[in-house]
Amino acid sequence: MRSEVVVRPLHESDYDHWAQFVAQCRSGSIFALPVYLDILCQATGGSFEVTGVFQGNELVGGVALYFERQPLGLVATPRALLSYNGPVIRDYADSKPATRISRQAAILLVLRRYLNHVSCEELILTARHPISDIRPFIGGGWLVSPSYTYVVHIEDLPAAWARVDQNQRRLIERAENLGLVCTEDDDYDTFFRLHFAVHTRKKSRLYLPEAAYKQFLVRLRANNLCRLYHARLPDGQAAAAQLVLTGPHPVCHTVCAGSDANHLATGANPFLRWQVFTALAGLGYHANDLTGAPYPHEPSRFKNQLGGT
């Protein structure tokens, strides 16, 4: 007889086990890792908790929640630099779909019952793509709506290149002909300058204040959880920047980009994206999640042209 599915809070002594579980699940991501959430909380003043679902002694699912105090009270919702905060569930390899679906539904059901009693004013979950059957939440009266992102598969780089839009390939080749190069470095000042320039042009809010952002990056790099890339002109000047969250999961996440408006015509942005795909593939990553695809939206059109799904 199969053991009952139960839910309980995870303690710090459980975090290594949870991190290994997250790295092995398709629905997992860096955003569910306690070490990442702790670094984010140091930058924002937020807090987090992790809850696990067990079948007997086996960890089969769970959720990591990030909390932040806002004017309406304590909330647990996605935010900049936290693209996903949804359930992580085991990938069952059963040959019979009905068995696999029922097992995963049981995990989500016990999680939903737990989440109904989380003490906060607002709770919004954003699950990663492999979780698509969310009937346990719908049946519990939760409001459900789809959200979208682009994921670029990079295991086969020639195939990935063939999927890139022809116009973007032309711009990438233009940048190469102009002598642009891609660097991976810790030039936080230049990164923030380019990041700030984009937000100034778009009149959007910064993800973090400058000092907090730099400390956030320093802590991520110390834990091997990010890569910072720049597209540089032959004279060394940076024309574009990109922050990728890495970690142990085979899917990494591009969460921030910046650019110099004076050098957009060089093709620096698509050039940097492609060079980063190449670098990440060399590190063993299977895919890069471009984190977000609202429509209609100019950045989404650009991401679509990079050959993502």
Side-chain angles (χ1 to χ4, degrees):
M1 179 180 293
R2 188 176 298 120
S3 303
E4 182 183 4
V5 178
V6 298
V7 60
R8 69 169 175 84
L10 298 186
H11 304 290
E12 192 169 346
S13 58
D14 301 311
Y15 284 174
D16 285 346
H17 185 197
W18 169 254
Q20 293 170 9
F21 175 77
V22 168
Q24 295 167 359
C25 295
R26 291 188 301 154
S27 52
S29 72
I30 186 174
F31 305 105
L33 296 181
V35 62
Y36 179 79
L37 291 169
D38 182 56
I39 292 170
L40 180 63
C41 288
Q42 291 179 60
T44 64
S47 60
F48 75 94
E49 64 178 39
V50 185
T51 300
V53 179
F54 292 83
Q55 188 161 38
N57 294 321
E58 183 185 6
L59 180 62
V60 295
V63 65
L65 294 179
Y66 166 85
F67 296 93
E68 198 169 278
R69 191 158 295 281
Q70 295 184 1
L72 60 84
L74 194 66
V75 301
T77 68
R79 55 151 291 152
L81 305 174
L82 186 67
S83 303
Y84 300 105
N85 68 327
V88 179
I89 59 176
R90 176 179 166 180
D91 298 309
Y92 288 98
D94 302 88
S95 58
K96 296 180 180 178
T99 303
R100 181 176 65 254
I101 291 169
S102 65
R103 287 182 174 182
Q104 291 180 334
I107 297 169
L108 292 176
L109 180 60
V110 73
L111 269 178
R112 188 259 287 173
R113 288 171 175 165
Y114 159 76
L115 291 167
N116 281 347
H117 299 285
V118 170
S119 180
C120 62
E121 298 302 319
E122 184 177 33
L123 175 58
I124 300 176
L125 302 177
T126 303
R128 287 203 62 234
H129 161 68
I131 296 180
S132 58
D133 185 354
I134 51 176
R135 288 172 295 172
F137 285 90
I138 296 172
W142 284 55
L143 299 177
V144 177
S145 62
S147 61
Y148 295 86
T149 188
Y150 285 109
V151 176
V152 180
H153 295 275
I154 54 178
E155 305 102 314
D156 184 340
L157 283 175
W161 176 255
R163 291 192 296 267
V164 175
D165 181 81
Q166 182 177 356
N167 184 58
Q168 297 302 310
R169 292 202 301 265
R170 179 181 60 80
L171 289 171
I172 293 167
E173 291 168 350
R174 174 191 294 177
E176 292 172 345
N177 293 333
L178 290 173
L180 271 71
V181 296
C182 173
T183 64
E184 183 195 340
D185 50 48
D186 57 0
D187 188 353
Y188 306 128
D189 290 332
T190 297
F191 164 76
F192 191 83
R193 176 177 60 81
L194 296 174
H195 169 62
F196 183 78
V198 170
H199 284 263
T200 299
R201 294 199 299 269
K202 297 180 180 296
K203 296 182 172 60
S204 57
R205 294 178 59 185
L206 287 172
Y207 294 171
L208 290 170
E210 183 173 6
Y213 213 148
K214 289 180 181 178
Q215 284 303 309
F216 172 73
L217 294 176
V218 168
R219 293 181 180 119
L220 287 179
R221 282 179 63 85
N223 286 274
N224 195 30
L225 293 177
C226 80
R227 304 267 172 167
L228 187 60
Y229 297 95
H230 288 90
R232 297 186 182 274
L233 303 171
D235 63 3
Q237 181 181 356
Q242 186 176 335
L243 173 63
V244 181
L245 301 180
T246 49
H249 197 276
V251 178
C252 54
H253 302 261
T254 295
V255 293
C256 184
S259 60
D260 187 327
N262 295 320
H263 300 296
L264 294 178
T266 64
N269 285 326
F271 167 81
L272 181 60
R273 297 283 183 153
W274 176 253
Q275 291 296 323
V276 169
F277 293 155
T278 301
L280 294 170
L283 293 170
Y285 289 97
H286 296 174
N288 180 222
D289 187 335
L290 303 180
T291 55
Y295 184 88
H297 197 243
E298 188 63 24
S300 295
R301 189 179 72 85
F302 171 63
K303 293 177 183 180
N304 181 41
Q305 293 176 335
L306 296 172
T309 300

